[in-house]
Amino acid sequence: MITFTSHSTAETEQFAAGFAAELRPGDVVACRGGMGMGKTAFARGLARGLGLVDDVSSPTFALVHEYTNGNIPLYHFDMYRVSGFDELYSTGFFDYLDQGGVLFIEWSENIESALPPGTIALTLARVDDNTREITIEGERF
């Protein structure tokens, strides 16, 4: 398990960029954290750490954003509005598992039963207005 206390968005992004060096194509990162916890900031840091130059934004309305302009693709999902298997299937989620990129899934608790073995669990928890406790758990961490 890895834990880190971030005191700013910039620190969250920097930590995520460093963590990205530990990721391999095919890894799935299941993110938990309420609104405003820094999930998209973490995704921006992952993208930078994976060598991507794409602009990263929340996929809330698109459900998935593909960042492929660099070394390892990052597929950034927002499962906030996904409430069943049919909706999950329509996102193309299962196809992305075989694309050779890293999947970063916000609101992963909504698709918990569909996450593959070996999924890396990421939790962002509020300490105060600017501080977040980041926890990463998985077979390799």
Side-chain angles (χ1 to χ4, degrees):
M1 180 167 64
I2 298 171
T3 58
F4 177 76
T5 302
S6 171
H7 301 282
S8 68
T9 299
E11 279 188 16
T12 297
E13 290 183 25
Q14 184 177 11
F15 173 75
F19 173 66
E22 304 297 321
L23 297 175
R24 300 181 280 218
D27 278 342
V28 176
V29 180
C31 183
R32 291 178 179 223
M35 297 281 186
M37 290 300 106
K39 297 179 297 291
T40 301
F42 198 94
R44 274 194 303 271
L46 278 183
R48 191 175 74 239
L50 292 171
L52 297 162
V53 295
D54 305 84
D55 288 329
V56 174
S57 61
S58 177
T60 300
F61 298 106
L63 296 178
V64 63
H65 285 168
E66 298 181 10
Y67 305 113
T68 58
N69 207 0
N71 298 336
I72 299 172
L74 177 66
Y75 303 112
H76 182 191
F77 286 86
D78 184 321
M79 298 299 183
Y80 183 75
R81 290 179 173 78
V82 174
S83 61
F85 185 81
D86 288 339
E87 287 181 22
L88 177 61
Y89 188 79
S90 72
T91 67
F93 173 76
F94 298 103
D95 295 326
Y96 282 96
L97 291 172
D98 298 323
Q99 295 291 324
V102 171
L103 276 67
F104 181 77
I105 306 164
E106 295 188 25
W107 301 100
S108 64
E109 56 270 33
N110 290 349
I111 64 160
E112 185 113 20
S113 64
L115 295 172
T119 294
I120 300 161
L122 167 70
T123 304
L124 295 127
R126 182 182 191 278
V127 175
D128 62 34
D129 286 347
N130 298 311
T131 309
R132 303 293 183 261
E133 189 72 30
I134 300 170
T135 306
I136 298 171
E137 299 176 89
E139 295 171 2
R140 299 190 328 258
F141 307 99

Coordinates of all heavy atoms in Angstrom, one line a residue, residues 31-102:
C31 N -10.6 4.4 -9.2 CA -10.6 5.6 -8.4 C -11.9 5.8 -7.6 O -12.9 5.8 -8.2 CB -10.2 6.8 -9.2 SG -10.0 8.3 -8.2
R32 N -11.7 6.1 -6.3 CA -12.8 6.5 -5.4 C -12.5 7.8 -4.8 O -11.4 8.0 -4.4 CB -13.0 5.4 -4.3 CG -13.5 4.1 -4.8 CD -13.6 3.1 -3.7 NE -14.1 1.9 -4.1 CZ -15.0 1.2 -3.5 NH1 -15.5 1.6 -2.4 NH2 -15.4 0.0 -4.0
G33 N -13.6 8.6 -4.7 CA -13.4 9.9 -4.1 C -14.6 10.7 -4.5 O -15.0 10.7 -5.6
G34 N -15.2 11.5 -3.6 CA -16.3 12.3 -3.9 C -16.0 13.5 -4.8 O -14.9 13.6 -5.2
M35 N -17.0 14.3 -5.0 CA -16.9 15.5 -5.8 C -15.8 16.4 -5.3 O -15.7 16.5 -4.0 CB -18.2 16.2 -5.9 CG -19.3 15.5 -6.5 SD -19.2 15.6 -8.3 CE -20.7 14.8 -8.8
G36 N -14.9 16.9 -6.1 CA -13.9 17.8 -5.7 C -12.8 17.2 -4.9 O -12.0 18.0 -4.3
M37 N -12.6 15.9 -5.0 CA -11.5 15.3 -4.3 C -10.2 15.3 -5.0 O -9.1 14.9 -4.5 CB -11.8 13.8 -3.9 CG -12.9 13.7 -2.8 SD -12.4 14.5 -1.3 CE -13.5 16.0 -1.3
G38 N -10.2 15.6 -6.3 CA -8.9 15.7 -7.1 C -8.8 14.5 -8.1 O -7.6 14.3 -8.5
K39 N -9.8 13.8 -8.4 CA -9.7 12.7 -9.4 C -9.2 13.1 -10.7 O -8.3 12.5 -11.3 CB -11.1 12.0 -9.5 CG -11.6 11.4 -8.2 CD -13.0 10.7 -8.4 CE -14.1 11.7 -8.7 NZ -14.5 12.6 -7.7
T40 N -9.7 14.2 -11.2 CA -9.3 14.7 -12.6 C -7.9 15.2 -12.5 O -7.1 15.1 -13.4 CB -10.3 15.7 -13.2 OG1 -11.6 15.1 -13.3 CG2 -9.8 16.2 -14.5
A41 N -7.5 15.9 -11.4 CA -6.1 16.3 -11.2 C -5.2 15.1 -11.2 O -4.1 15.2 -11.8 CB -6.0 17.1 -9.9
F42 N -5.6 14.1 -10.5 CA -4.8 12.8 -10.5 C -4.6 12.3 -12.0 O -3.5 11.9 -12.4 CB -5.4 11.8 -9.6 CG -4.4 10.7 -9.2 CD1 -3.7 10.8 -8.0 CD2 -4.2 9.6 -10.0 CE1 -2.8 9.8 -7.7 CE2 -3.3 8.6 -9.7 CZ -2.6 8.7 -8.5
A43 N -5.7 12.3 -12.7 CA -5.7 11.9 -14.1 C -4.7 12.7 -14.9 O -4.0 12.2 -15.8 CB -7.1 11.9 -14.7
R44 N -4.7 14.1 -14.7 CA -3.8 14.9 -15.4 C -2.3 14.6 -15.1 O -1.5 14.5 -16.0 CB -4.0 16.4 -15.0 CG -5.1 17.1 -15.8 CD -5.0 18.6 -15.6 NE -5.2 19.0 -14.2 CZ -6.3 19.3 -13.6 NH1 -7.5 19.1 -14.3 NH2 -6.3 19.7 -12.4
G45 N -2.0 14.3 -13.9 CA -0.7 13.9 -13.5 C -0.3 12.5 -14.1 O 0.8 12.4 -14.6
L46 N -1.3 11.6 -14.1 CA -1.0 10.3 -14.8 C -0.7 10.5 -16.2 O 0.3 9.9 -16.7 CB -2.2 9.4 -14.7 CG -2.5 8.6 -13.4 CD1 -3.7 7.7 -13.6 CD2 -1.3 7.8 -13.0
A47 N -1.4 11.3 -16.9 CA -1.2 11.5 -18.3 C 0.2 12.1 -18.5 O 0.9 11.6 -19.4 CB -2.3 12.5 -18.9
R48 N 0.6 13.1 -17.8 CA 1.9 13.7 -17.9 C 3.0 12.6 -17.6 O 4.0 12.5 -18.3 CB 2.0 14.9 -16.9 CG 3.3 15.7 -17.2 CD 3.4 16.9 -16.4 NE 3.7 16.6 -15.0 CZ 3.0 16.9 -14.0 NH1 1.9 17.6 -14.1 NH2 3.4 16.6 -12.7
G49 N 2.8 11.8 -16.6 CA 3.8 10.8 -16.2 C 3.9 9.7 -17.2 O 4.9 9.0 -17.4
L50 N 2.8 9.5 -18.0 CA 2.8 8.5 -19.1 C 3.4 9.1 -20.4 O 3.4 8.4 -21.4 CB 1.4 7.9 -19.3 CG 0.8 7.1 -18.2 CD1 -0.7 6.8 -18.5 CD2 1.6 5.8 -18.0
G51 N 3.8 10.3 -20.3 CA 4.4 10.9 -21.5 C 3.4 11.5 -22.5 O 3.7 11.7 -23.6
L52 N 2.1 11.7 -22.0 CA 1.1 12.2 -22.9 C 1.0 13.7 -22.9 O 1.3 14.3 -21.9 CB -0.3 11.6 -22.5 CG -0.4 10.1 -22.6 CD1 -1.5 9.6 -21.7 CD2 -0.5 9.7 -24.0
V53 N 0.8 14.3 -24.0 CA 0.7 15.7 -24.1 C -0.7 16.3 -24.3 O -0.9 17.5 -24.5 CB 1.6 16.3 -25.3 CG1 3.1 16.0 -24.9 CG2 1.2 15.7 -26.6
D54 N -1.7 15.4 -24.3 CA -3.1 15.7 -24.4 C -3.5 16.6 -23.3 O -3.0 16.5 -22.2 CB -4.0 14.5 -24.4 CG -3.6 13.5 -25.5 OD1 -2.7 12.7 -25.2 OD2 -4.2 13.5 -26.6
D55 N -4.5 17.5 -23.5 CA -5.2 18.2 -22.5 C -6.2 17.3 -21.8 O -7.0 16.7 -22.4 CB -5.9 19.4 -23.0 CG -5.0 20.5 -23.5 OD1 -3.9 20.7 -22.9 OD2 -5.4 21.3 -24.4
V56 N -6.1 17.2 -20.5 CA -7.0 16.2 -19.7 C -8.1 17.0 -19.0 O -7.8 18.0 -18.4 CB -6.1 15.5 -18.7 CG1 -7.0 14.6 -17.8 CG2 -5.1 14.6 -19.3
S57 N -9.3 16.5 -19.2 CA -10.5 17.1 -18.6 C -11.4 16.0 -18.1 O -11.2 14.8 -18.5 CB -11.2 18.0 -19.5 OG -11.7 17.3 -20.6
S58 N -12.3 16.4 -17.2 CA -13.3 15.4 -16.7 C -14.2 14.8 -17.8 O -14.7 15.6 -18.6 CB -14.1 16.0 -15.6 OG -15.1 15.0 -15.1
P59 N -14.3 13.5 -17.9 CA -15.2 12.9 -18.9 C -16.6 12.8 -18.5 O -17.3 11.9 -18.9 CB -14.5 11.5 -19.1 CG -14.0 11.2 -17.8 CD -13.5 12.5 -17.2
T60 N -17.1 13.6 -17.5 CA -18.4 13.5 -17.0 C -19.5 13.3 -18.0 O -20.3 12.4 -17.9 CB -18.7 14.7 -16.1 OG1 -17.8 14.8 -15.1 CG2 -20.1 14.6 -15.5
F61 N -19.5 14.1 -19.0 CA -20.6 14.0 -20.0 C -20.3 13.0 -21.2 O -21.2 12.5 -21.8 CB -21.0 15.4 -20.5 CG -21.5 16.2 -19.4 CD1 -20.7 17.2 -18.8 CD2 -22.8 16.0 -18.8 CE1 -21.2 18.0 -17.8 CE2 -23.2 16.7 -17.7 CZ -22.4 17.7 -17.2
A62 N -19.0 12.8 -21.4 CA -18.6 12.0 -22.5 C -18.5 10.5 -22.1 O -18.4 9.6 -22.9 CB -17.3 12.4 -23.1
L63 N -18.4 10.3 -20.8 CA -18.1 9.0 -20.2 C -16.7 8.4 -20.3 O -16.2 7.8 -19.4 CB -19.1 7.9 -20.7 CG -20.6 8.1 -20.3 CD1 -21.4 7.0 -20.9 CD2 -20.8 8.2 -18.8
V64 N -16.1 8.7 -21.5 CA -14.7 8.3 -21.6 C -13.9 9.3 -22.5 O -14.5 9.8 -23.5 CB -14.5 6.9 -22.2 CG1 -15.1 6.8 -23.6 CG2 -13.1 6.4 -22.2
H65 N -12.7 9.6 -22.1 CA -11.8 10.4 -22.9 C -10.6 9.6 -23.2 O -10.1 8.9 -22.3 CB -11.4 11.7 -22.2 CG -12.4 12.8 -22.1 ND1 -12.3 13.9 -21.3 CD2 -13.6 12.9 -22.8 CE1 -13.3 14.6 -21.5 NE2 -14.1 14.1 -22.4
E66 N -10.1 9.6 -24.4 CA -8.9 8.9 -24.9 C -7.8 9.8 -25.0 O -7.9 10.8 -25.7 CB -9.2 8.2 -26.2 CG -10.3 7.2 -26.2 CD -10.5 6.5 -27.5 OE1 -9.6 6.7 -28.4 OE2 -11.5 5.8 -27.7
Y67 N -6.7 9.5 -24.3 CA -5.5 10.3 -24.4 C -4.4 9.4 -25.0 O -3.9 8.5 -24.4 CB -5.1 10.9 -23.1 CG -6.2 11.7 -22.4 CD1 -6.8 11.2 -21.2 CD2 -6.6 12.9 -23.0 CE1 -7.8 11.9 -20.6 CE2 -7.7 13.6 -22.4 CZ -8.2 13.1 -21.2 OH -9.3 13.8 -20.6
T68 N -4.1 9.7 -26.3 CA -3.2 8.8 -27.0 C -2.0 9.4 -27.6 O -1.2 8.8 -28.3 CB -4.0 8.1 -28.1 OG1 -4.6 9.1 -29.0 CG2 -5.1 7.2 -27.6
N69 N -1.8 10.7 -27.3 CA -0.7 11.5 -27.9 C 0.6 11.4 -27.1 O 1.0 12.4 -26.5 CB -1.2 13.0 -28.0 CG -0.5 13.7 -29.2 OD1 0.3 13.1 -29.9 ND2 -0.9 14.9 -29.3
G70 N 1.1 10.2 -27.1 CA 2.3 10.0 -26.3 C 2.7 8.5 -26.2 O 2.4 7.7 -27.1
N71 N 3.4 8.1 -25.1 CA 3.9 6.8 -25.0 C 2.9 5.7 -24.8 O 2.8 4.7 -25.6 CB 4.9 6.8 -23.8 CG 6.1 7.7 -24.0 OD1 6.4 8.0 -25.2 ND2 6.7 8.1 -22.9
I72 N 2.2 5.7 -23.7 CA 1.2 4.7 -23.3 C -0.2 5.4 -23.3 O -0.4 6.4 -22.6 CB 1.5 4.1 -22.0 CG1 2.8 3.4 -22.0 CG2 0.4 3.1 -21.6 CD1 3.2 2.9 -20.6
P73 N -1.2 4.9 -24.0 CA -2.5 5.6 -24.0 C -3.1 5.5 -22.6 O -2.9 4.6 -21.8 CB -3.4 4.7 -24.9 CG -2.4 4.0 -25.8 CD -1.2 3.8 -24.9
L74 N -3.9 6.6 -22.3 CA -4.7 6.6 -21.1 C -6.1 6.7 -21.5 O -6.5 7.6 -22.2 CB -4.2 7.8 -20.2 CG -5.0 8.1 -18.9 CD1 -4.8 6.9 -17.9 CD2 -4.6 9.4 -18.3
Y75 N -7.0 5.8 -20.9 CA -8.4 5.9 -21.2 C -9.1 6.3 -19.8 O -9.0 5.5 -18.9 CB -8.9 4.5 -21.7 CG -8.2 4.1 -22.9 CD1 -7.3 3.0 -22.9 CD2 -8.3 4.8 -24.1 CE1 -6.6 2.7 -24.1 CE2 -7.6 4.5 -25.2 CZ -6.8 3.4 -25.2 OH -6.1 3.0 -26.4
H76 N -9.7 7.4 -19.8 CA -10.2 8.1 -18.6 C -11.7 8.0 -18.6 O -12.4 8.7 -19.4 CB -9.7 9.5 -18.6 CG -10.0 10.3 -17.4 ND1 -9.9 11.7 -17.4 CD2 -10.6 10.0 -16.2 CE1 -10.3 12.2 -16.2 NE2 -10.7 11.2 -15.5
F77 N -12.2 7.2 -17.7 CA -13.7 6.9 -17.6 C -14.3 7.7 -16.5 O -13.6 7.8 -15.4 CB -13.9 5.4 -17.4 CG -13.7 4.6 -18.6 CD1 -12.5 4.1 -18.9 CD2 -14.8 4.3 -19.4 CE1 -12.3 3.3 -20.0 CE2 -14.6 3.5 -20.5 CZ -13.4 3.0 -20.8
D78 N -15.5 8.1 -16.6 CA -16.3 8.6 -15.5 C -17.6 7.7 -15.4 O -18.4 7.8 -16.3 CB -16.7 10.0 -15.7 CG -17.4 10.7 -14.6 OD1 -18.3 10.0 -14.0 OD2 -17.2 11.8 -14.2
M79 N -17.7 6.9 -14.4 CA -18.8 6.0 -14.3 C -19.9 6.5 -13.3 O -20.8 5.7 -12.9 CB -18.3 4.6 -13.8 CG -17.3 4.0 -14.7 SD -18.1 3.6 -16.3 CE -16.7 2.8 -17.1
Y80 N -19.9 7.8 -13.1 CA -20.9 8.4 -12.1 C -22.3 8.1 -12.5 O -23.1 7.8 -11.7 CB -20.6 9.9 -12.0 CG -21.5 10.6 -11.0 CD1 -21.3 10.4 -9.7 CD2 -22.6 11.3 -11.5 CE1 -22.1 11.1 -8.7 CE2 -23.4 12.0 -10.5 CZ -23.2 11.8 -9.2 OH -24.0 12.4 -8.3
R81 N -22.6 8.2 -13.8 CA -24.0 8.0 -14.3 C -24.2 6.6 -14.8 O -25.3 6.3 -15.3 CB -24.2 9.0 -15.4 CG -24.3 10.4 -14.9 CD -24.6 11.4 -16.0 NE -24.8 12.7 -15.5 CZ -23.9 13.5 -15.1 NH1 -22.6 13.2 -15.1 NH2 -24.2 14.7 -14.6
V82 N -23.3 5.7 -14.7 CA -23.5 4.3 -15.1 C -24.1 3.5 -14.0 O -23.6 3.4 -12.9 CB -22.1 3.7 -15.6 CG1 -22.3 2.2 -15.9 CG2 -21.6 4.4 -16.8
S83 N -25.3 2.9 -14.3 CA -26.0 2.2 -13.2 C -26.3 0.7 -13.5 O -26.9 0.1 -12.7 CB -27.3 2.9 -12.9 OG -28.1 2.9 -14.1
G84 N -25.8 0.2 -14.6 CA -26.1 -1.2 -14.9 C -25.1 -1.7 -15.9 O -24.4 -1.0 -16.6
F85 N -25.2 -3.0 -16.1 CA -24.3 -3.7 -17.0 C -24.5 -3.2 -18.5 O -23.5 -3.0 -19.2 CB -24.5 -5.2 -17.0 CG -23.5 -6.0 -17.8 CD1 -22.2 -6.2 -17.4 CD2 -23.9 -6.4 -19.1 CE1 -21.3 -6.9 -18.2 CE2 -23.0 -7.1 -19.9 CZ -21.7 -7.3 -19.5
D86 N -25.7 -3.0 -18.9 CA -26.0 -2.5 -20.3 C -25.4 -1.2 -20.5 O -24.8 -0.9 -21.6 CB -27.5 -2.5 -20.5 CG -28.1 -3.9 -20.7 OD1 -27.4 -4.8 -20.9 OD2 -29.4 -4.0 -20.5
E87 N -25.5 -0.3 -19.6 CA -24.9 1.1 -19.7 C -23.4 0.9 -19.7 O -22.7 1.6 -20.5 CB -25.3 2.0 -18.6 CG -26.7 2.5 -18.7 CD -27.1 3.4 -17.5 OE1 -26.2 4.0 -16.9 OE2 -28.3 3.5 -17.3
L88 N -22.8 0.1 -18.9 CA -21.4 -0.1 -18.9 C -20.9 -0.7 -20.2 O -19.9 -0.2 -20.8 CB -21.0 -1.1 -17.7 CG -19.5 -1.4 -17.7 CD1 -18.6 -0.2 -17.4 CD2 -19.3 -2.5 -16.6
Y89 N -21.6 -1.6 -20.7 CA -21.3 -2.2 -22.0 C -21.3 -1.2 -23.1 O -20.4 -1.2 -24.0 CB -22.2 -3.4 -22.3 CG -21.8 -4.2 -23.5 CD1 -20.8 -5.1 -23.4 CD2 -22.4 -4.0 -24.8 CE1 -20.4 -5.9 -24.6 CE2 -22.1 -4.7 -25.9 CZ -21.1 -5.6 -25.8 OH -20.7 -6.4 -26.9
S90 N -22.3 -0.3 -23.1 CA -22.4 0.7 -24.1 C -21.2 1.7 -24.1 O -21.0 2.4 -25.1 CB -23.7 1.5 -24.0 OG -23.7 2.3 -22.9
T91 N -20.5 1.8 -23.0 CA -19.3 2.8 -23.0 C -18.2 2.2 -23.7 O -17.2 2.9 -24.0 CB -18.9 3.0 -21.5 OG1 -18.3 1.8 -21.0 CG2 -20.0 3.5 -20.6
G92 N -18.2 0.9 -24.1 CA -17.0 0.3 -24.7 C -16.0 -0.2 -23.7 O -14.9 -0.6 -24.1
F93 N -16.3 -0.1 -22.4 CA -15.4 -0.4 -21.3 C -14.6 -1.7 -21.6 O -13.4 -1.8 -21.5 CB -16.1 -0.4 -20.0 CG -15.2 -0.9 -18.8 CD1 -14.3 -0.1 -18.3 CD2 -15.4 -2.2 -18.3 CE1 -13.5 -0.5 -17.2 CE2 -14.6 -2.6 -17.3 CZ -13.7 -1.8 -16.7
F94 N -15.3 -2.8 -21.9 CA -14.7 -4.1 -22.0 C -13.7 -4.1 -23.2 O -12.7 -4.8 -23.2 CB -15.8 -5.2 -22.1 CG -16.6 -5.3 -20.9 CD1 -17.9 -4.7 -20.9 CD2 -16.1 -5.8 -19.7 CE1 -18.7 -4.8 -19.7 CE2 -16.9 -5.9 -18.6 CZ -18.2 -5.3 -18.6
D95 N -14.0 -3.4 -24.3 CA -13.1 -3.3 -25.4 C -11.8 -2.6 -25.0 O -10.7 -3.0 -25.5 CB -13.8 -2.6 -26.6 CG -15.0 -3.3 -27.1 OD1 -14.9 -4.6 -27.1 OD2 -15.9 -2.6 -27.6
Y96 N -11.9 -1.6 -24.2 CA -10.7 -0.8 -23.8 C -9.8 -1.7 -22.9 O -8.6 -1.4 -22.9 CB -11.1 0.4 -22.9 CG -11.6 1.6 -23.8 CD1 -13.0 1.7 -24.0 CD2 -10.8 2.5 -24.4 CE1 -13.5 2.8 -24.8 CE2 -11.2 3.5 -25.2 CZ -12.6 3.7 -25.3 OH -13.0 4.7 -26.1
L97 N -10.3 -2.7 -22.3 CA -9.4 -3.5 -21.5 C -8.3 -4.2 -22.3 O -7.2 -4.5 -21.8 CB -10.2 -4.6 -20.7 CG -11.1 -4.1 -19.6 CD1 -12.0 -5.2 -19.1 CD2 -10.4 -3.5 -18.5
D98 N -8.6 -4.4 -23.6 CA -7.6 -5.0 -24.5 C -6.8 -4.1 -25.4 O -6.2 -4.5 -26.3 CB -8.3 -6.1 -25.3 CG -9.0 -7.2 -24.5 OD1 -8.4 -7.6 -23.5 OD2 -10.1 -7.6 -24.8
Q99 N -6.9 -2.8 -25.1 CA -6.3 -1.8 -26.0 C -4.8 -1.5 -25.7 O -4.2 -0.8 -26.4 CB -7.1 -0.5 -25.9 CG -8.5 -0.6 -26.5 CD -8.5 -0.8 -28.0 OE1 -7.7 -0.3 -28.7 NE2 -9.4 -1.6 -28.4
G100 N -4.3 -2.1 -24.6 CA -2.8 -1.8 -24.3 C -2.5 -0.5 -23.7 O -1.4 -0.1 -23.7
G101 N -3.5 0.1 -23.1 CA -3.3 1.4 -22.4 C -3.6 1.2 -20.9 O -3.8 0.1 -20.4
V102 N -3.6 2.3 -20.2 CA -4.0 2.3 -18.8 C -5.4 2.9 -18.7 O -5.7 3.9 -19.3 CB -3.0 3.2 -18.0 CG1 -3.5 3.5 -16.6 CG2 -1.6 2.6 -18.0

